[in-house]
Amino acid sequence: MEKPLPLFRSLRHARQYICPQCLRSTPRRPSPFKLLRPQRRHASTQPADDPAFKSILDKPPVLMRSGRKHKPLGLAILAAIPITAFILGCWQVKRLGWKSELIAKFEDRLVRDPLPLPPQIDPEAVKDFDYRRVVARGRYRHDKEMLIGPRIHDGNDGFLVITPLERVDDSGRNAAVLVCRGWIPKAKAKQSERPLALPTGEVQVEGLLREPWVKNYFTPDNKPENDTWHFPDVAQMAEHVGSQAVWIEETMKPNLIESYRREEAGIPIGRPAEVNLRNNHVQYIFTWFSLSAATAVMMWMVVRKPPGGRGFGVPGRVRESREW
Protein backbone atom coordinates (compact mmCIF):
# COMPACT_ATOMS: atom_id res chain seq x y z
CA MET A 1 0.00 0.00 0.00
CA GLU A 2 1.44 3.26 -1.13
CA LYS A 3 1.93 5.98 1.41
CA PRO A 4 -0.09 9.14 0.62
CA LEU A 5 1.85 12.29 -0.10
CA PRO A 6 1.84 15.05 2.44
CA LEU A 7 -0.81 17.68 1.97
CA PHE A 8 1.63 20.56 1.37
CA ARG A 9 3.42 18.54 -1.30
CA SER A 10 0.18 17.83 -3.19
CA LEU A 11 -0.79 21.54 -3.11
CA ARG A 12 2.64 22.57 -4.28
CA HIS A 13 2.52 20.23 -7.19
CA ALA A 14 -1.05 21.37 -7.99
CA ARG A 15 0.10 25.00 -8.21
CA GLN A 16 2.95 24.11 -10.48
CA TYR A 17 0.70 22.28 -12.93
CA ILE A 18 -0.68 24.45 -15.80
CA CYS A 19 -2.90 23.06 -18.51
CA PRO A 20 -1.28 23.50 -21.95
CA GLN A 21 -4.65 24.33 -23.57
CA CYS A 22 -5.33 27.09 -21.04
CA LEU A 23 -1.84 28.42 -21.59
CA ARG A 24 -2.49 28.78 -25.34
CA SER A 25 -5.88 30.53 -24.80
CA THR A 26 -4.60 33.01 -22.18
CA PRO A 27 -4.05 36.45 -23.83
CA ARG A 28 -0.60 37.80 -23.57
CA ARG A 29 -0.07 41.03 -21.73
CA PRO A 30 1.30 43.81 -23.91
CA SER A 31 4.74 45.04 -23.16
CA PRO A 32 5.17 48.24 -21.15
CA PHE A 33 6.59 49.97 -24.21
CA LYS A 34 3.38 49.38 -26.18
CA LEU A 35 1.27 50.70 -23.30
CA LEU A 36 3.29 53.87 -22.95
CA ARG A 37 3.55 54.57 -26.68
CA PRO A 38 0.01 56.08 -27.10
CA GLN A 39 0.50 58.17 -23.97
CA ARG A 40 3.80 59.47 -25.26
CA ARG A 41 2.26 60.27 -28.63
CA HIS A 42 -0.65 62.14 -26.96
CA ALA A 43 1.69 63.97 -24.61
CA SER A 44 3.83 65.15 -27.50
CA THR A 45 0.86 67.02 -29.02
CA GLN A 46 0.20 69.20 -25.97
CA PRO A 47 0.33 72.96 -26.70
CA ALA A 48 2.63 73.50 -23.72
CA ASP A 49 5.35 71.41 -25.40
CA ASP A 50 5.74 74.11 -28.03
CA PRO A 51 8.56 76.48 -26.94
CA ALA A 52 6.70 79.44 -28.54
CA PHE A 53 3.44 78.72 -26.68
CA LYS A 54 1.97 81.63 -24.69
CA SER A 55 -0.95 81.34 -22.31
CA ILE A 56 -3.52 83.93 -21.36
CA LEU A 57 -1.43 84.87 -18.35
CA ASP A 58 1.49 85.77 -20.63
CA LYS A 59 -0.69 88.45 -22.29
CA PRO A 60 -1.87 90.90 -19.63
CA PRO A 61 -5.08 92.88 -20.24
CA VAL A 62 -4.87 96.30 -21.83
CA LEU A 63 -6.68 99.33 -20.45
CA MET A 64 -9.04 100.85 -22.96
CA ARG A 65 -11.32 103.86 -22.85
CA SER A 66 -15.07 103.52 -22.36
CA GLY A 67 -17.96 105.79 -21.55
CA ARG A 68 -18.25 107.11 -25.09
CA LYS A 69 -21.64 108.40 -26.18
CA HIS A 70 -23.85 106.50 -28.63
CA LYS A 71 -23.22 107.42 -32.23
CA PRO A 72 -26.05 109.31 -33.97
CA LEU A 73 -26.04 106.93 -36.92
CA GLY A 74 -26.59 103.90 -34.70
CA LEU A 75 -29.40 105.61 -32.82
CA ALA A 76 -31.01 106.65 -36.10
CA ILE A 77 -30.94 103.10 -37.43
CA LEU A 78 -32.32 101.76 -34.16
CA ALA A 79 -35.08 104.38 -34.13
CA ALA A 80 -36.04 103.62 -37.74
CA ILE A 81 -37.23 100.12 -36.82
CA PRO A 82 -40.11 101.02 -34.45
CA ILE A 83 -41.09 104.01 -36.60
CA THR A 84 -41.24 101.90 -39.76
CA ALA A 85 -43.19 99.14 -38.00
CA PHE A 86 -45.67 101.71 -36.66
CA ILE A 87 -46.19 103.18 -40.15
CA LEU A 88 -46.78 99.70 -41.59
CA GLY A 89 -49.28 98.98 -38.81
CA CYS A 90 -51.20 102.18 -39.64
CA TRP A 91 -51.15 101.20 -43.31
CA GLN A 92 -52.62 97.79 -42.44
CA VAL A 93 -55.40 99.53 -40.50
CA LYS A 94 -56.24 101.44 -43.65
CA ARG A 95 -56.09 98.23 -45.70
CA LEU A 96 -58.42 96.53 -43.23
CA GLY A 97 -61.03 99.24 -43.73
CA TRP A 98 -60.69 99.04 -47.51
CA LYS A 99 -60.93 95.23 -47.59
CA SER A 100 -63.94 95.19 -45.24
CA GLU A 101 -65.80 97.68 -47.46
CA LEU A 102 -64.90 95.69 -50.57
CA ILE A 103 -66.17 92.41 -49.10
CA ALA A 104 -69.38 94.11 -47.93
CA LYS A 105 -69.93 95.51 -51.45
CA PHE A 106 -69.42 92.10 -53.06
CA GLU A 107 -71.70 90.36 -50.56
CA ASP A 108 -74.39 92.94 -51.30
CA ARG A 109 -74.16 92.03 -54.98
CA LEU A 110 -74.48 88.32 -54.20
CA VAL A 111 -77.88 88.70 -52.51
CA ARG A 112 -79.38 90.38 -55.57
CA ASP A 113 -81.33 88.47 -58.23
CA PRO A 114 -79.29 87.18 -61.19
CA LEU A 115 -78.89 89.71 -63.98
CA PRO A 116 -79.41 88.56 -67.61
CA LEU A 117 -76.09 88.90 -69.38
CA PRO A 118 -76.37 91.34 -72.32
CA PRO A 119 -75.08 90.18 -75.71
CA GLN A 120 -72.29 92.72 -76.02
CA ILE A 121 -70.25 93.64 -72.93
CA ASP A 122 -67.66 96.33 -72.49
CA PRO A 123 -64.61 94.69 -70.82
CA GLU A 124 -63.78 98.00 -69.11
CA ALA A 125 -67.15 97.95 -67.32
CA VAL A 126 -66.70 94.46 -65.85
CA LYS A 127 -64.90 95.81 -62.78
CA ASP A 128 -68.10 97.65 -61.77
CA PHE A 129 -70.00 94.33 -61.80
CA ASP A 130 -67.42 92.10 -60.14
CA TYR A 131 -69.10 89.24 -58.16
CA ARG A 132 -72.46 90.10 -59.79
CA ARG A 133 -74.68 87.08 -60.36
CA VAL A 134 -75.60 86.72 -64.03
CA VAL A 135 -77.52 84.30 -66.25
CA ALA A 136 -76.54 83.46 -69.83
CA ARG A 137 -77.93 81.09 -72.45
CA GLY A 138 -76.04 79.52 -75.33
CA ARG A 139 -74.23 76.43 -76.59
CA TYR A 140 -70.98 75.07 -75.24
CA ARG A 141 -68.14 74.81 -77.75
CA HIS A 142 -66.46 71.70 -76.37
CA ASP A 143 -64.10 71.60 -79.35
CA LYS A 144 -62.51 74.82 -78.02
CA GLU A 145 -62.31 73.69 -74.41
CA MET A 146 -59.26 74.79 -72.37
CA LEU A 147 -57.86 73.24 -69.18
CA ILE A 148 -56.03 75.39 -66.65
CA GLY A 149 -53.79 73.51 -64.31
CA PRO A 150 -52.63 72.01 -62.23
CA ARG A 151 -55.26 72.97 -59.67
CA ILE A 152 -55.78 71.33 -56.27
CA HIS A 153 -59.25 70.56 -54.91
CA ASP A 154 -59.61 68.80 -51.53
CA GLY A 155 -56.05 67.53 -51.85
CA ASN A 156 -56.55 66.07 -55.35
CA ASP A 157 -54.79 67.21 -58.50
CA GLY A 158 -56.86 68.34 -61.46
CA PHE A 159 -57.80 71.13 -63.85
CA LEU A 160 -60.24 74.00 -64.28
CA VAL A 161 -62.48 73.53 -67.32
CA ILE A 162 -62.92 76.68 -69.43
CA THR A 163 -65.47 76.36 -72.25
CA PRO A 164 -66.64 79.14 -74.59
CA LEU A 165 -70.40 79.71 -74.45
CA GLU A 166 -71.48 80.49 -77.99
CA ARG A 167 -74.13 83.20 -78.28
CA VAL A 168 -75.42 85.34 -81.12
CA ASP A 169 -77.06 88.75 -80.71
CA ASP A 170 -80.00 90.08 -82.73
CA SER A 171 -77.72 91.51 -85.41
CA GLY A 172 -75.92 88.19 -85.88
CA ARG A 173 -72.65 89.26 -84.24
CA ASN A 174 -70.61 86.88 -82.12
CA ALA A 175 -71.44 87.31 -78.41
CA ALA A 176 -69.55 84.31 -76.99
CA VAL A 177 -68.13 84.49 -73.45
CA LEU A 178 -65.75 82.34 -71.43
CA VAL A 179 -67.31 80.11 -68.76
CA CYS A 180 -65.24 78.55 -65.99
CA ARG A 181 -67.35 75.44 -65.42
CA GLY A 182 -65.36 74.19 -62.41
CA TRP A 183 -62.81 71.59 -61.37
CA ILE A 184 -62.30 68.06 -62.68
CA PRO A 185 -59.77 65.41 -61.53
CA LYS A 186 -56.63 64.80 -63.54
CA ALA A 187 -57.81 61.32 -64.56
CA LYS A 188 -60.80 62.89 -66.36
CA ALA A 189 -58.79 65.35 -68.45
CA LYS A 190 -59.66 63.63 -71.74
CA GLN A 191 -63.16 64.29 -73.00
CA SER A 192 -63.56 60.60 -73.81
CA GLU A 193 -63.35 59.86 -70.05
CA ARG A 194 -66.30 62.17 -69.19
CA PRO A 195 -69.09 61.93 -71.74
CA LEU A 196 -71.67 63.10 -69.18
CA ALA A 197 -69.81 66.41 -68.81
CA LEU A 198 -70.33 67.41 -72.46
CA PRO A 199 -73.91 68.65 -72.76
CA THR A 200 -75.23 69.34 -76.23
CA GLY A 201 -77.87 71.80 -77.25
CA GLU A 202 -78.74 75.08 -75.58
CA VAL A 203 -77.88 75.39 -71.89
CA GLN A 204 -78.46 78.03 -69.24
CA VAL A 205 -75.46 79.05 -67.15
CA GLU A 206 -75.73 80.84 -63.83
CA GLY A 207 -72.58 82.19 -62.31
CA LEU A 208 -70.54 85.16 -61.16
CA LEU A 209 -69.20 87.83 -63.45
CA ARG A 210 -65.55 88.25 -62.47
CA GLU A 211 -62.89 90.83 -63.17
CA PRO A 212 -59.70 89.54 -64.88
CA TRP A 213 -56.85 88.52 -62.55
CA VAL A 214 -53.34 89.88 -62.45
CA LYS A 215 -50.61 87.35 -63.12
CA ASN A 216 -47.92 87.09 -60.44
CA TYR A 217 -44.22 86.79 -61.06
CA PHE A 218 -43.88 83.07 -60.23
CA THR A 219 -46.65 81.77 -62.53
CA PRO A 220 -45.29 80.40 -65.82
CA ASP A 221 -46.50 81.81 -69.10
CA ASN A 222 -49.31 80.20 -71.06
CA LYS A 223 -48.56 78.42 -74.32
CA PRO A 224 -51.68 78.67 -76.52
CA GLU A 225 -49.92 76.96 -79.44
CA ASN A 226 -49.53 73.83 -77.28
CA ASP A 227 -52.92 74.27 -75.59
CA THR A 228 -51.12 74.63 -72.22
CA TRP A 229 -52.66 77.02 -69.74
CA HIS A 230 -51.30 77.84 -66.28
CA PHE A 231 -53.11 81.09 -65.56
CA PRO A 232 -56.58 82.45 -66.50
CA ASP A 233 -55.45 85.25 -68.82
CA VAL A 234 -58.91 86.33 -69.95
CA ALA A 235 -57.76 88.50 -72.86
CA GLN A 236 -55.34 85.87 -74.19
CA MET A 237 -57.84 83.03 -73.88
CA ALA A 238 -60.62 85.07 -75.49
CA GLU A 239 -58.39 85.88 -78.44
CA HIS A 240 -57.42 82.20 -78.74
CA VAL A 241 -61.02 80.95 -79.05
CA GLY A 242 -62.55 84.05 -80.63
CA SER A 243 -64.88 85.25 -77.87
CA GLN A 244 -65.41 88.35 -75.79
CA ALA A 245 -62.98 89.01 -72.94
CA VAL A 246 -65.68 88.20 -70.39
CA TRP A 247 -65.21 85.64 -67.62
CA ILE A 248 -68.09 83.88 -65.85
CA GLU A 249 -67.58 81.41 -63.01
CA GLU A 250 -70.38 78.85 -62.90
CA THR A 251 -71.74 78.34 -59.39
CA MET A 252 -73.46 75.50 -57.56
CA LYS A 253 -74.84 74.95 -54.08
CA PRO A 254 -72.31 73.28 -51.78
CA ASN A 255 -73.26 69.62 -51.56
CA LEU A 256 -70.77 66.94 -50.56
CA ILE A 257 -72.68 64.04 -52.14
CA GLU A 258 -73.21 65.97 -55.37
CA SER A 259 -69.51 66.86 -55.47
CA TYR A 260 -68.54 63.18 -55.12
CA ARG A 261 -70.96 62.23 -57.89
CA ARG A 262 -69.58 64.90 -60.21
CA GLU A 263 -66.00 63.94 -59.47
CA GLU A 264 -66.73 60.29 -60.29
CA ALA A 265 -68.44 61.20 -63.56
CA GLY A 266 -65.98 63.91 -64.54
CA ILE A 267 -68.59 66.67 -64.39
CA PRO A 268 -66.98 70.00 -63.41
CA ILE A 269 -67.54 70.99 -59.78
CA GLY A 270 -68.58 74.63 -59.71
CA ARG A 271 -67.69 77.10 -57.00
CA PRO A 272 -70.16 78.27 -54.33
CA ALA A 273 -71.72 81.71 -54.72
CA GLU A 274 -69.70 83.40 -52.01
CA VAL A 275 -66.89 85.92 -51.61
CA ASN A 276 -63.54 84.16 -51.24
CA LEU A 277 -61.30 87.15 -50.58
CA ARG A 278 -58.76 86.69 -47.80
CA ASN A 279 -58.82 89.22 -44.98
CA ASN A 280 -55.77 88.71 -42.75
CA HIS A 281 -55.11 92.38 -42.04
CA VAL A 282 -55.99 92.04 -38.34
CA GLN A 283 -53.07 89.65 -37.89
CA TYR A 284 -50.78 92.02 -39.80
CA ILE A 285 -51.88 94.93 -37.60
CA PHE A 286 -51.09 92.99 -34.43
CA THR A 287 -47.71 91.89 -35.82
CA TRP A 288 -46.52 95.34 -36.88
CA PHE A 289 -47.71 97.17 -33.76
CA SER A 290 -46.18 94.49 -31.52
CA LEU A 291 -42.87 94.80 -33.36
CA SER A 292 -43.01 98.58 -33.05
CA ALA A 293 -43.67 98.42 -29.28
CA ALA A 294 -40.96 95.82 -28.65
CA THR A 295 -38.29 97.67 -30.60
CA ALA A 296 -39.28 100.98 -28.96
CA VAL A 297 -38.75 99.44 -25.51
CA MET A 298 -35.38 98.06 -26.60
CA MET A 299 -34.31 101.48 -27.87
CA TRP A 300 -35.40 103.12 -24.61
CA MET A 301 -33.31 100.62 -22.65
CA VAL A 302 -30.27 101.29 -24.82
CA VAL A 303 -30.59 105.08 -24.54
CA ARG A 304 -31.37 105.02 -20.83
CA LYS A 305 -28.42 102.80 -19.93
CA PRO A 306 -25.14 104.80 -19.72
CA PRO A 307 -22.69 103.74 -22.42
CA GLY A 308 -19.68 101.80 -21.17
CA GLY A 309 -18.95 101.30 -17.46
CA ARG A 310 -16.39 101.49 -14.68
CA GLY A 311 -14.08 98.55 -14.17
CA PHE A 312 -11.30 97.63 -11.76
CA GLY A 313 -11.52 100.95 -9.92
CA VAL A 314 -10.46 102.97 -13.00
CA PRO A 315 -13.14 105.52 -13.93
CA GLY A 316 -14.08 105.47 -17.57
CA ARG A 317 -11.78 102.56 -18.39
CA VAL A 318 -12.18 98.78 -18.67
CA ARG A 319 -9.70 95.95 -19.07
CA GLU A 320 -9.67 93.96 -22.26
CA SER A 321 -7.61 90.85 -22.95
CA ARG A 322 -6.78 90.57 -26.61
CA GLU A 323 -5.68 87.62 -28.78
CA TRP A 324 -6.96 84.87 -26.54
Side-chain angles (χ1 to χ4, degrees), residues 153-156 181-185 188 197 250-274:
H153 178 75
D154 291 340
N156 299 323
R181 301 182 58 195
W183 178 88
I184 60 172
K188 302 292 184 179
E250 189 174 3
T251 58
M252 59 173 287
K253 294 182 179 180
N255 190 318
L256 186 60
I257 298 178
E258 178 64 16
S259 298
Y260 286 155
R261 186 189 70 83
R262 290 193 174 199
E263 183 177 355
E264 184 68 23
I267 302 175
I269 302 175
R271 56 158 298 172
E274 60 185 18

Side-chain angles (χ1 to χ4, degrees), residues 36-319:
L36 296 177
R37 188 177 301 169
Q39 298 180 5
R40 292 175 180 176
R41 187 185 301 113
H42 178 72
S44 61
T45 59
Q46 296 295 327
D49 295 339
D50 188 2
F53 173 76
K54 292 184 179 181
S55 66
I56 298 176
L57 301 177
D58 297 330
K59 297 181 179 181
V62 180
L63 293 177
M64 61 179 298
R65 295 181 59 186
S66 65
R68 297 177 180 177
K69 296 182 179 180
H70 298 290
K71 295 183 179 181
L73 180 59
L75 292 177
I77 296 176
L78 188 61
I81 300 176
I83 295 175
T84 304
F86 182 78
I87 293 175
L88 291 175
C90 296
W91 177 65
Q92 288 296 331
V93 171
K94 184 178 180 180
R95 291 276 297 177
L96 175 62
W98 167 79
K99 183 63 72 66
S100 300
E101 292 180 1
L102 185 64
I103 294 176
K105 181 175 63 175
F106 289 159
E107 290 179 348
D108 179 67
R109 294 176 181 177
L110 289 177
V111 298
R112 299 181 183 180
D113 295 332
L115 179 69
L117 190 68
Q120 299 296 329
I121 304 171
D122 183 9
E124 299 296 333
V126 173
K127 62 181 180 180
D128 297 329
F129 294 87
D130 197 11
Y131 276 95
R132 187 69 166 86
R133 296 172 58 195
V134 295
V135 176
R137 300 186 65 87
R139 296 176 181 270
Y140 278 133
R141 291 295 304 271
H142 299 293
D143 57 328
K144 297 182 178 181
E145 179 183 86
M146 295 169 286
L147 301 180
I148 300 179
R151 289 295 185 272
I152 304 299
H153 178 75
D154 291 340
N156 299 323
D157 191 10
F159 301 94
L160 291 178
V161 180
I162 314 301
T163 308
L165 184 66
E166 189 177 54
R167 303 187 306 160
V168 179
D169 59 6
D170 297 336
S171 60
R173 293 183 302 175
N174 180 22
V177 295
L178 299 176
V179 178
C180 178
R181 301 182 58 195
W183 178 88
I184 60 172
K186 187 177 182 180
K188 302 292 184 179
K190 295 183 179 180
Q191 293 187 355
S192 58
E193 299 291 336
R194 45 187 173 93
L196 299 179
L198 308 175
T200 58
E202 189 177 32
V203 296
Q204 177 174 317
V205 177
E206 181 176 346
L208 302 179
L209 186 63
R210 293 302 315 277
E211 186 180 3
W213 292 264
V214 179
K215 178 177 176 294
N216 59 36
Y217 181 78
F218 301 99
T219 304
D221 297 331
N222 297 326
K223 297 180 180 179
E225 63 277 4
N226 299 332
D227 200 21
T228 303
W229 306 91
H230 303 284
F231 178 77
D233 191 333
V234 179
Q236 186 182 33
M237 300 177 78
E239 182 181 0
H240 180 70
V241 299
S243 68
Q244 300 183 83
V246 179
W247 182 276
I248 299 176
E249 293 184 352
E250 189 174 3
T251 58
M252 59 173 287
K253 294 182 179 180
N255 190 318
L256 186 60
I257 298 178
E258 178 64 16
S259 298
Y260 286 155
R261 186 189 70 83
R262 290 193 174 199
E263 183 177 355
E264 184 68 23
I267 302 175
I269 302 175
R271 56 158 298 172
E274 60 185 18
V275 181
N276 56 359
L277 298 179
R278 293 185 300 177
N279 189 5
N280 299 328
H281 297 287
V282 176
Q283 302 177 12
Y284 301 152
I285 292 172
F286 177 78
T287 301
W288 288 121
F289 282 152
S290 300
L291 179 62
S292 177
T295 52
V297 171
M298 293 173 60
M299 179 181 176
W300 176 78
M301 294 175 63
V302 170
V303 174
R304 180 175 177 271
K305 184 179 180 180
R310 300 175 181 270
F312 299 97
V314 181
R317 291 173 177 258
V318 295
R319 295 176 181 266

Side-chain angles (χ1 to χ4, degrees), residues 23-31:
L23 182 62
R24 289 194 298 269
S25 61
T26 303
R28 297 182 179 180
R29 296 180 60 186
S31 62

